[in-house]
Every structure is written in C-alpha cells, then in structure tokens.
Amino acid sequence: MNNQKLVIIDTGCANLASVRMAFERLGVQPLVSSQAADIEQANKLILPGVGTAVAAMNNLNERGLVPLIRAAKQPLLGFCLGMQMLAEASEESMGTEGSSERLIDCLGIVPGKIRLMEVGTLRLPHMGWNQIEHDETHPLLKGIPSGSYFYFVHSYALEVTNATLATCDYGTPFTAIVGRDNFFGAQFHPERSGAAGARLLQNFLEL
C-alpha cells in the first residue's frame, strides 16, 4: 500500500502542506500536482480546497482540471470545499458587498446542491468538533463508530441525498461524508481530526 501513487490535486486554493503531512504520517509520500499525466497515473486522488466555490471552480477551470477530475476512474477523496466541488452546484457567492446568492456550477459528480446552512440561533461558520452518524457498513468508515467526532469549519453544506454515507447535525442535518462510485467527499477536515481522521485516510488508502 505504501508504494501506491497518491496525488494531491493542486487546486490552488488549499493548505496543501497539512494534507500532505497527514498522509506522510501514514507512511505515504504523496505528490502534489496539477499535471494531467500525474493525475491520470495516480492510484488514489485527493481533492482539497478552502475558500469559496466561485474561486475554487475558477481555479479548476483555469488549470484544465475539470475534465480530468470528472473522468477519474481511481478512488478520489475531496476534503471540505473539495467535497463541495463534487456536487451539482453551490449557492455560495463570491462574498462581495451587495452580491446576491446565485448557483455556481460545480463538478456534478455527486447529487445535490451546496446550501447556506440553516442553523437557527447557532453561530456560523460551523467551527469545531461535531459528531457524524452512519450505519457502519461502508469500508471508508471501517473502525470509525457512528458518533465519532471530526473537525469542521464551514458555512455551506451539501444537502442529504441518496449518496450520503454519513450525516452531521448543526441546526439541521447535512451530509458529512458523500460517496458515489469511486468518488468520495468529507465535509470535515480529516487531517485535523485526530485519530478518527487518520483512520478515515487509512481506510481510503485501502479502498
């Protein structure tokens, strides 16, 4: 397993160092790249991201990564905004003063749209440790009991769909982990989620 080629896709909008170090702690030396040949030859792919959906999708398009990601046949795991980019669309705006929310086309790989979280009197962003709930059957969640805690930082979230593998509740339920075919996403930051996050990454490497 340690000999497999793991590529972290350089989206231009992520803290790649912390993601890389999380895998290095598991004995894997990932390659950070936006080159087509590296992505196509990888055994596993990581799609990280921080910031806004608008900026992230612009970066993917400018780097020619959209068709490469959509065509990926190997297991791919998106983190945080990387997961959100797998969805059909996002209502997240660029955040400029006076701008109205509009749907931004995303990769369209998993069903559902990214919405501003409805949290009632709770604070946004949703920041800190929270529990995920799942049926403990998917191999990506092997050894991670339902109710385990992970570290979240976000204000937008994917609605619950038939591709949801795990949910979290913050005001209302949302998708914490999504999966369709060889594509997976985690709304939380596995690289900042201690032992549970490390186990999730280990499980991904073993898929």
Side-chain angles (χ1 to χ4, degrees):
M1 183 190 68
N2 290 358
N3 294 325
Q4 65 181 311
K5 184 176 181 181
L6 174 69
V7 171
I8 300 171
I9 299 173
D10 186 356
T11 61
C13 57
N15 180 4
L16 300 176
S18 62
V19 177
R20 185 182 68 247
M21 288 188 290
F23 283 103
E24 289 174 349
R25 289 193 292 269
L26 296 175
V28 176
Q29 185 64 51
L31 173 67
V32 177
S33 178
S34 60
Q35 299 301 308
D38 293 328
I39 292 169
E40 291 167 349
Q41 294 167 14
N43 301 117
K44 301 278 170 56
L45 294 169
I46 299 296
L47 181 66
V50 295
T52 67
V54 172
M57 288 307 301
N58 283 344
N59 280 2
L60 292 188
N61 280 302
E62 288 171 2
R63 295 176 181 223
L65 293 172
V66 169
L68 285 172
I69 294 168
R70 286 176 172 159
K73 301 301 182 187
Q74 61 272 73
L76 178 150
L77 176 63
F79 292 3
C80 196
L81 183 62
M83 167 184 152
Q84 294 183 6
M85 288 189 285
L86 298 177
E88 296 167 7
S90 172
E91 69 177 21
E92 184 178 11
S93 74
M94 295 178 70
T96 56
E97 186 175 352
S99 66
S100 59
E101 299 288 46
R102 59 193 179 93
L103 286 176
I104 307 301
D105 287 336
C106 295
L107 292 166
I109 292 170
V110 301
K113 295 179 175 62
I114 306 300
R115 307 283 189 188
L116 182 66
M117 299 174 72
E118 297 180 3
V119 299
T121 60
L122 298 174
R123 284 186 172 186
L124 276 181
H126 172 214
M127 181 181 296
W129 296 87
N130 205 342
Q131 293 173 286
I132 69 167
E133 304 294 335
H134 61 95
D135 64 9
E136 303 189 4
T137 61
H138 198 280
L140 185 62
L141 287 153
K142 180 178 65 176
I144 301 172
S146 185
S148 295
Y149 282 86
F150 290 86
Y151 189 81
F152 292 83
V153 183
H154 62 119
S155 296
Y156 290 79
L158 178 63
E159 57 200 349
V160 177
T161 74
N162 60 10
T164 298
L165 300 180
T167 61
C168 182
D169 195 296
Y170 188 73
T172 54
F174 64 89
T175 295
I177 302 176
V178 68
R180 168 157 286 187
D181 301 325
N182 55 302
F183 293 93
F184 303 94
Q187 178 59 68
F188 48 83
H189 287 271
E191 77 281 13
R192 299 173 64 183
S193 294
R199 180 59 190 263
L200 184 90
L201 298 182
Q202 183 73 41
N203 289 345
F204 174 72
L205 293 172
E206 294 174 358
L207 289 180

